[in-house]
Each structure stands twice: as C-alpha cells, then as structure tokens.
Amino acid sequence: MCRFRRIAIAFTVLLAAGCYDSRFGEPDGSASGEPATETIAALRAIYAGTPFTVAGDIVVTGTVTTSDRAENFYRTLCIEEGEAALEVMAGIDHLHNDFPIGCRVTLRLRGLTVAESRGVLQIGRPPAAGSGYATDYIGSQPALAAVLVRNGESLHVPTPAPHPISELTPALCGTLVRIDGLRYTPEDLSAATWTGYKRFTDDAGNAVYTYVRQYARFADTDVPVGMVSLTGILQYDAAGDGRYILKLRDESDCLP
C-alpha cells in the first residue's frame, strides 16, 4: 500500500473518531519542538477540494517563509517543508516579531479547518455559519499559541526554489519561488506602481503576475523597468484562462 494511501486512511479514521487523547499542552518553547506526525506534502495530497476540520492529533512542522512587516501578508504566515507549503490564518498583527522568516515552527491541526485558496492550502478556524470563506482567522494570541509554536531561536533563511514560468504547477502553490529573466509588460495605462496585479513576461512570452495589496508599505513604489528576478509565494487563479501569481513579501523580492 503506497504511503499516501496509508496516510489518507489514517486521516479518515482520525477525522471520523478523533481516536486518541490529545497530547497537547502549553507550548514548551523547546529547541527541538514537538515531533511531526505527518508532512505538509501528505496533508496536501489528501486534500480533495472540500474543506474539512481535523479531529485527530495531527502535527506538522516547517520553516516560516513570509513576513507581514511590509503588510502585503496580512495576519497570515506561510510555512514550508519538503517542497510543500501551507498558509496559517493567524488573525493577529506583527507576526514577524514572534515568527520571523527562517524560524522553525510546529503546527497542531486538531480542531482547525483545512481548505484551499488560490491553490494554497490554508489552515484556520472553522468558518462561521453563512460565511463566504472556507476558513476563519484563529484570531487571538492565546488561541494561536495553542496551535503554533516556534521551535528555538535559530533562523534558517529559506532559499526560494528557482522555476521558469513554463515549469510552474499547482502543486507548488504556497511555496517560495524565484523566477528569473522577467520584464514588466503592462496590460493597460494604469500607474506603474506595485498596487494590484502586475504582468511580467519571459523571453518566450509566458506570463506571471505579481500581487501587492493597496495597504502594503511598498504599494505606491514604481515597478522597475528592465530585466528582473521575482521572488514570492506562488498562487494560482483558476478564473478565466488561469494564471500564476507571485505574492511578494516586500520590495526586495524584485531584484535586477
């Protein structure tokens, strides 16, 4: 029986019954942290497009790849492990103080909902009745501390994986990606600042978009001209003909 099938069966049992007592107590802050029971890749592999709430003691670990310091990531952070990633819907500000880029974290999934947005696996509270969202923010420091724990003080700054546009796949969504050899190719005559979506193309005419929210600190900065390298969290917008998007963390994610 293949590994992913065994994991899927285990998840099914856990979701149905929550079959053993929780081992979770207060965050211990130890350097090694609580051991993972599954990988982020396994969690992503069993997600079949329908949000579900975890009933068992599932634990994953990873490295933080995003920062909310420049305010393009708002009350969320992404963690990555083994070329798979997820976004934690934390719901509090200044996450970069407690969870800087490169720190190792443990995420306890019991009671949290697993969903997907723009190709990125998301983890958050179950949404309120009538909500139009698949997950809700965890929403408070104590609630976040109960499920997300930093493992020690060491930082291991993640290296973005280099990929040409032609090799991007939905499986990479949520991971930190770098794409070289791009030029800004505007689709209209709107201001050439980072706000919103900006189209970049490679020499073959393949396109990728960047996204910067209007409240980000660098939103009003001009988009550079000439050849650049872009780094960001990969997303996929399936609407229309579909397009890949890099959500930048700050200005330094665009380099000549």
Side-chain angles (χ1 to χ4, degrees):
M1 184 183 295
C2 72
R3 170 170 161 66
F4 280 159
R5 186 178 175 190
R6 291 197 303 270
I7 291 169
I9 292 173
F11 264 93
T12 300
V13 172
L14 289 170
L15 291 170
C19 64
Y20 46 90
D21 293 336
S22 171
R23 295 178 288 109
F24 300 155
E26 293 299 316
D28 59 21
S30 66
S32 58
E34 186 174 0
T37 63
E38 294 299 346
T39 65
I40 296 175
L43 184 64
R44 184 177 182 90
I46 69 158
Y47 181 76
T50 301
F52 63 88
T53 298
V54 177
D57 289 333
I58 305 300
V59 179
V60 298
T61 58
T63 299
V64 173
T65 57
T66 61
S67 171
D68 62 356
R69 186 185 298 273
E71 300 180 1
N72 200 32
F73 282 83
Y74 179 69
R75 297 184 174 181
T76 75
L77 57 83
C78 292
I79 66 174
E80 183 172 339
E81 183 84 334
E83 300 182 340
L86 55 80
E87 183 175 27
V88 181
M89 307 298 288
I92 62 174
D93 297 320
H94 309 299
L95 289 164
H96 62 273
N97 290 329
D98 294 323
F99 303 103
I101 290 176
C103 74
R104 296 285 299 172
V105 296
T106 295
L107 177 65
R108 303 156 174 162
L109 277 79
R110 173 182 278 275
L112 297 180
T113 293
V114 180
E116 187 178 88
S117 176
R118 296 203 166 185
V120 180
L121 203 65
Q122 287 188 338
I123 309 296
R125 287 177 52 211
S131 169
Y133 297 95
T135 64
D136 199 356
Y137 285 122
I138 293 169
S140 72
Q141 185 68 47
L144 184 63
V147 298
L148 186 68
V149 181
R150 178 173 172 177
N151 301 332
E153 296 300 315
S154 297
L155 299 181
H156 306 276
V157 179
T159 301
H163 290 282
I165 297 174
S166 59
E167 293 182 2
L168 299 178
T169 67
L172 293 171
C173 286
T175 65
L176 188 64
V177 169
R178 189 189 79 235
I179 307 175
D180 301 322
L182 299 175
R183 289 183 184 274
Y184 175 46
T185 52
E187 297 180 292
D188 53 41
L189 298 178
S190 61
T193 59
W194 280 115
T195 304
Y197 295 93
K198 301 301 172 184
R199 183 175 182 263
F200 289 79
T201 55
D202 60 19
D203 288 340
N206 299 308
V208 66
Y209 290 75
T210 57
Y211 175 69
V212 174
R213 61 193 295 266
Q214 68 180 92
Y215 302 108
R217 294 184 181 180
F218 61 106
D220 294 330
T221 303
D222 289 341
V223 178
V225 297
M227 197 76 73
V228 298
S229 173
L230 293 175
T231 296
I233 298 298
L234 187 67
Q235 301 178 338
Y236 182 71
D237 182 0
D241 295 330
R243 60 180 178 177
Y244 285 101
I245 300 164
L246 288 178
K247 187 173 182 180
L248 307 184
R249 299 167 299 175
D250 55 40
E251 257 184 288
S252 67
D253 276 342
C254 178
L255 295 173

